[in-house]
Amino acid sequence: MADGTTPMGYLGVTRSLTGRLWRERPADGETVRRHQLGLGLSEPLARALASRGIGPDDGANYLNPTLKALFPDPSSFLDMDLAAEILIDALVSDRPMTIFADYDVDGASSAAQLVRWFRTLGKELPIYVPDRMTEGYGPSPAAFKRIRESGAELVVTVDCGAAAYEALAHAEEIGLDVVVIDHHLMRDEIPKVAALVNPNRPGCTSGQGVLAAAGVAFVLLAALNREARKRGLFETTPEPDLRQWLDLAALGAICDVTQLVGFNRALTTQGLKVMSAWKNPGLKALLEVAKGSGPAGVFHAGFILGPRINAGGRIGRSDLGARLLSTDDPAEAAELAAELDALNASRKEVEREIFEEAIRIVDRESNQDDAALTFVAADGWHPGVIGIVASRLRERYRKPALVIGVDRAANIGKGSGRSQTGVNLGRAVQAAFDEGLLLAGGGHAMAAGLSVRPDTIPDLRAFLNERLAAETETATAEDGLDIDALVTTGGADRGLWQAFQALAPFGPGNPEPMFAVADVRIERPMALRGGHVRVTLTDGSGGRLKAVAWRAEDTEIGKRLMSEGGAVHVAGRLKPDDWQGRESVELEIEDVADPRRMVG
């Protein structure tokens, strides 16, 4: 085929142990050649760059993304200049303001940026974060009423607010001005507010729709600096150096799983460099309590820091994350970090229990096998973790998943869903709401949330299965694993890993390189605590490659690895292995194909 994929699949893999077709990630040959010549790259690295849609003239900026080259004009965002004027007016007149933030990492990092900017100008802003259990997501009339009664005249919502029509209407009624800083999709109707900055609002031509709220907030800081400079505020006060807060912008971008392309890629790349100095007291304290170390990367932000910051909003006090990222007091940071670390440990235990119960329910309900989505509901499941459980169920069963926790006393079920490419779950949930099956519901293609009466859950399941049947069938048929390069166990070394780090940071829009090793033998399989499986892979090159399959012991992959047996093909991502200073690598296994079991 023209894209390099044979009809039989890469390495002949038409159906792996996870049911996937393997494909070589397609790349234009001429672009590959020009990347090799122009950038001095090896063929595999040049191919990986081209396969990510990077044209021959864009390679240099992609490999070295800078804010100077990619920073957008703040004025290209609708209402950005207006928002800056309103906030500087409030600063100059000492008008009472409050930051209203979502309870996740993106909300906390957005709020912390604004708090820190105003602090350098001598104004301390309070932060209001709604409680997930009692207040739900986003602004509400009751929350705005409390803020107004506290004396605030202006509220700035971050990572929420663009679709809070009822709350915003109430704010107008009670004389509370609102500036919205958001990034979520919204309807054509623009709520009546003082200013609404959102690259995804209808009519905004900034072209920055992939930004998290933390990225939008960082651009707002640039607009604030420009407006304050114009008014002469920096004649007696030093102008804030915005680069010091790039770590917060990067944290929001990574933890909100945004597309790491264009300006957002530059923001994240440079932000991780700033984060690596660990000058933010909260991030430093959180790293220390988590026993992390080293220069910051996507792993630090997404898997060490992010889950702990989120734990406050999931099962603890919702404002802990924003307070941690905003404080300059090392003692307070240490105290908050310890509390978040303990909450995260509790969160993991709650998540594990719900996940295991969900698997038992799914596996005993025979109608799940042919269903368009994995749909599971039970009494008492904590609404703060069902989204994570839905993500893990989606990975396990390789189709959209919806998890509902039912509160019988309140007669309500709270649900969270995660989808896959080609299946628009948010649209289906909106359709269920339009049909009168939900109390509330919405989202986007890959994720959705909802509220439902328990007695309506069977009807909701039937509706969603019918609604998503065609999309899921097509997506399942096209479900494949894209391979960047074929390597040997001897060639999969630290040098190869280091070379491909030129493409980092990895995330949506820039997938982490996927390597395949063919006809490898499995040696020394070992089941680890937590259901992980560790093995050593060998092939004809004479090399030995350590590999691990996370949470795989009870899956087809885990069972095949533990049985050793004949040669298999393995695909995965290379990770550094610095245990005891060895500077080696290991393969994180994504998929396994057994040539003896493959069928068309």
Side-chain angles (χ1 to χ4, degrees), residues 17 25-26 46 150 259 282 382 437 463 470 472 474 483 527 532 544 551 577:
L17 295 187
R25 202 182 298 278
S150 73
Q259 296 276 319
H382 198 296
L437 295 172
F463 178 87
T472 298
T474 300
I483 309 293
H532 316 309
R544 300 171 66 82
R551 296 193 296 267
D577 178 11

Side-chain angles (χ1 to χ4, degrees), residues 30 114 156 162 250 261 276 298 368 450 459 470 520:
E30 176 60 21
L114 288 175
V156 183
V261 297
S276 295
V298 170
Q368 294 276 4
L450 58 84
D459 295 333
V520 292

Side-chain angles (χ1 to χ4, degrees), residues 375 402-404 411-417 425-443 448-464:
F375 187 112
L402 180 69
V403 180
I404 299 177
N411 192 34
I412 193 170
K414 295 289 185 69
S416 185
L425 183 60
R427 184 169 58 196
V429 167
Q430 181 62 51
F433 176 78
D434 293 340
E435 285 289 313
L437 295 172
L438 301 176
L439 299 172
L450 58 84
S451 298
V452 61
R453 292 297 181 204
D455 57 4
T456 311
I457 288 175
D459 295 333
L460 176 63
R461 180 201 291 246
F463 178 87
L464 292 177

Side-chain angles (χ1 to χ4, degrees), residues 277-532:
W278 302 109
K279 290 186 177 179
N280 181 293
L283 293 180
K284 181 180 180 182
L286 205 55
L287 183 75
E288 290 174 350
V289 78
K291 297 180 173 57
S293 62
V298 170
F299 179 81
H300 289 82
F303 295 94
I304 296 178
L305 305 173
R308 288 170 169 80
I309 295 170
N310 271 334
R314 292 192 184 280
I315 63 172
R317 299 210 313 276
S318 57
D319 66 343
L320 292 178
R323 288 171 55 199
L324 177 82
L325 299 180
S326 302
T327 186
D328 288 322
D329 182 352
E332 182 185 17
E335 182 180 332
L336 290 169
E339 186 171 357
L340 285 167
D341 186 59
L343 285 170
N344 189 56
S346 299
R347 185 272 306 170
K348 287 194 287 187
E349 182 60 23
V350 172
E351 175 197 327
R352 181 190 63 78
E353 292 173 356
I354 294 176
F355 180 61
E356 291 177 353
E357 185 179 355
I359 290 173
R360 288 193 294 270
I361 294 172
V362 172
D363 289 349
R364 73 168 179 254
E365 293 184 4
S366 58
N367 64 337
Q368 294 276 4
D369 292 341
D370 299 323
L373 78 165
T374 301
F375 187 112
V376 59
D379 292 356
W381 283 354
H382 198 296
V385 302
I386 56 175
I388 305 174
V389 173
S391 294
R392 293 183 60 184
L393 291 176
R394 199 219 68 78
E395 293 172 6
R396 182 182 181 92
Y397 297 106
R398 303 212 57 77
K399 59 183 176 182
L402 180 69
V403 180
I404 299 177
V406 177
D407 182 341
R408 293 290 174 183
N411 192 34
I412 193 170
K414 295 289 185 69
S416 185
R418 298 293 183 269
S419 194
Q420 67 191 90
T421 301
V423 183
N424 193 323
L425 183 60
R427 184 169 58 196
V429 167
Q430 181 62 51
F433 176 78
D434 293 340
E435 285 289 313
L437 295 172
L438 301 176
L439 299 172
H444 50 80
M446 301 299 287
L450 58 84
S451 298
V452 61
R453 292 297 181 204
D455 57 4
T456 311
I457 288 175
D459 295 333
L460 176 63
R461 180 201 291 246
F463 178 87
L464 292 177
N465 270 314
E466 180 180 357
R467 180 87 181 189
L468 296 173
E471 288 182 32
T472 298
E473 183 178 2
T474 300
T476 299
E478 296 176 352
D479 188 21
L481 184 66
D482 293 315
I483 309 293
D484 284 288
L486 179 66
V487 298
T488 63
T489 57
D493 57 15
R494 187 73 170 213
L496 179 68
W497 172 80
Q498 188 64 54
F500 272 79
Q501 288 304 295
L503 301 177
F506 302 114
N510 181 33
E512 192 168 354
M514 187 69 62
F515 299 99
V517 286
D519 298 314
V520 292
R521 297 277 176 178
I522 300 164
E523 296 182 356
R524 302 171 62 188
M526 181 185 307
L528 306 177
R529 183 178 179 183
H532 316 309

Side-chain angles (χ1 to χ4, degrees), residues 71-77 81 206 219 226:
F71 204 101
D73 180 358
S75 299
S76 66
F77 292 73
D81 291 337
S206 66
V219 178
R226 187 167 64 182

